Amino acid sequence: MAKAAWVTGGASGIGAAVSRRLASQGYQVLVTDVDVAGGEKVAAEVGGVFRRCDVREPSDSVAAVSAAVDTFGGLDLAFLNAGVATGFGLEDGFSPEAYRRVMSINLDGVVYGAHAAIPALKARGGGDIIATASLAGLTAVPFDPIYGANKAAVVGLVRALGPLYAPQGIRVNALCPSFAETAIIENVRDVLVGSGVPLLEVSDVVAAFDAILAGEGTGEAWYVQVGRPAEPFAFRNVPGPRTPAGDKAPAADPSVQITAFREG
């Protein structure tokens, strides 16, 4: 039985390229996007199925997973890739409406997508969730703080879900590319190039996606930088608690496992 994949933001850029790669590897692909014409074109190209999905709407993600299960018999992989640029800070250009839009697409879309996909992956006996975050989720981006905030939240979500669902055979990882040659940078491309920032080829991001899928890790955030091999970012250990001088630390309760705070 062929494996089945669901790709959000699949009408262009990284989503379209990953859809093509998955199809070449034998996956049946459900391509979703709000760009109907672009999504239908990619789906036809990869021999898959298109469904319109606005990731801001939880019901759209549930319907997409149902479509994958009904059409392909199950779901093995969810690539939660849909995202938009921010382009504003906390002063000029800021509005609650603009803020909610970008947070809803870039963060809520991953939450709703994972929520919809997990039951189908469990039914399959396991599978993969890969979310597109960004290098902006791993380092400070003073020129775009809202984008940095929602991408950092995606990284935090993935790192928590990884160990949570590992016992059920579901791996959850994040793809964190630097600036890539896609439509999301079209408004800042000249500034980036003029500043000497090297741009990733989409093929480099797809190669990193392949490496995540071929690996065994979970809860990882893979950075993708020009001129470097993609690999999981190594987070430092969180410092442990300190006790007042002379006091003894409380005995650990062996029945409580706080694995989220034992970073490797």
Side-chain angles (χ1 to χ4, degrees), residues 17 22 33 53 66 81-82 86 90 92 100 111 115 141 180 187 195 243:
L22 289 171
D33 207 300
C53 176
S66 294
N81 166 73
T86 302
L90 296 181
D92 294 342
R100 278 308 324 153
V111 173
H115 170 72
V141 281
N187 292 331
S195 301
T243 58

Side-chain angles (χ1 to χ4, degrees), residues 101-121:
R101 176 179 181 271
V102 299
M103 294 299 285
S104 188
I105 294 171
N106 290 358
L107 173 57
D108 297 353
V110 176
V111 173
Y112 298 151
H115 170 72
I118 286 168
L121 296 175

Side-chain angles (χ1 to χ4, degrees), residues 115-144:
H115 170 72
I118 286 168
L121 296 175
K122 284 183 177 179
R124 203 73 148 173
D128 284 88
I129 296 173
I130 299 177
T132 299
S134 169
L135 204 65
L138 301 176
T139 188
V141 281
F143 60 91
D144 203 345

Side-chain angles (χ1 to χ4, degrees), residues 5 31 34 71 83 96 123 223 225 246 251:
V31 178
V34 293
T71 305
Y223 64 83
Q225 282 272 42

Side-chain angles (χ1 to χ4, degrees), residues 22-219:
L22 289 171
S24 74
Q25 295 171 345
Y27 278 82
Q28 297 175 301
V29 184
L30 175 71
V31 178
T32 65
D33 207 300
V34 293
D35 176 0
V36 174
E40 288 179 339
K41 180 178 179 181
V42 172
E45 180 184 343
V46 303
V49 174
F50 172 77
R51 186 181 184 97
R52 187 185 185 280
C53 176
D54 183 340
V55 297
R56 296 175 294 179
E57 300 295 334
S59 60
D60 277 19
S61 289
V62 171
V65 171
S66 294
V69 172
D70 292 345
T71 305
F72 306 137
L75 184 68
D76 301 281
L77 165 65
F79 181 38
L80 306 178
N81 166 73
V84 293
T86 302
F88 60 86
L90 296 181
E91 295 185 78
D92 294 342
F94 180 83
S95 72
E97 294 77 18
Y99 168 75
R100 278 308 324 153
R101 176 179 181 271
V102 299
M103 294 299 285
S104 188
I105 294 171
N106 290 358
L107 173 57
D108 297 353
V110 176
V111 173
Y112 298 151
H115 170 72
I118 286 168
L121 296 175
K122 284 183 177 179
R124 203 73 148 173
D128 284 88
I129 296 173
I130 299 177
T132 299
S134 169
L135 204 65
L138 301 176
T139 188
V141 281
F143 60 91
D144 203 345
I146 303 300
Y147 188 76
N150 55 57
K151 292 303 185 179
V154 170
V155 170
L157 178 70
V158 162
R159 295 181 71 204
L161 294 180
L164 180 63
Y165 286 100
Q168 298 174 67
I170 299 173
R171 298 169 62 233
V172 187
N173 291 291
L175 182 63
C176 302
S178 181
F179 297 103
E181 284 277 15
T182 66
I184 201 169
I185 68 163
E186 61 185 16
N187 292 331
V188 295
R189 188 182 189 283
D190 291 343
V191 174
L192 294 172
V193 172
S195 301
V197 176
L199 301 180
L200 283 167
E201 295 295 333
V202 172
S203 59
D204 294 330
V205 184
V206 175
F209 175 91
D210 279 343
I212 294 173
L213 199 57
E216 298 180 353
T218 189

